[in-house]
Amino acid sequence: MKILMTMLVALMALNFTVAQTVEFNVNMSVQMKRGLFNPATDQVYVRGSFNDWSTNNQMEDPNNDSIYTVSISNLTVGETHFFKFFYLRGGTEVWENDPNREVTVA
């Protein structure tokens, strides 16, 4: 009985936090067609509660299909995060007009 209790207490003391990597994608083709985004000079980012809304996570489009991507690591499974996309054009941040987006890490 004492061994079982010791094992149970030890298991309860362990932190079973599991981290996951989430890939964020945004399609910039409409902004490009409207002349509001130039892939040669503008940059796309994602900010959110996962980085305290401050750290810029620059997104890339390596295959030039107008879909920008970035992977964010170490997001805790089960947590819900809010985020938004924006792009930097001539030193000005242009945020999407939608309400904050939401992702729950699976």
Side-chain angles (χ1 to χ4, degrees), residues 35-72:
L36 300 173
F37 179 80
N38 180 346
T41 58
D42 302 336
Q43 299 86 40
V44 182
Y45 298 90
V46 62
R47 283 187 187 161
S49 57
F50 50 81
N51 62 14
D52 295 325
W53 295 94
S54 61
T55 304
N56 291 336
N57 293 101
Q58 186 169 354
M59 305 178 79
E60 302 292 335
D61 181 16
N63 60 357
N64 296 316
D65 64 354
S66 72
I67 298 174
Y68 285 74
T69 304
V70 68
S71 293
I72 308 292

Side-chain angles (χ1 to χ4, degrees), residues 72-86:
I72 308 292
S73 300
N74 298 320
L75 298 182
T76 303
V77 171
E79 285 187 356
T80 298
H81 296 279
F82 299 94
F83 67 96
K84 272 193 158 189
F85 299 108
F86 73 98

Side-chain angles (χ1 to χ4, degrees), residues 10 16 21 29 32 36 39 44 48 66 71 83 90 94-95 99 105:
F16 288 104
T21 298
S29 63
M32 288 177 187
L36 300 173
V44 182
S66 72
S71 293
F83 67 96
V94 181
W95 289 79
V105 182

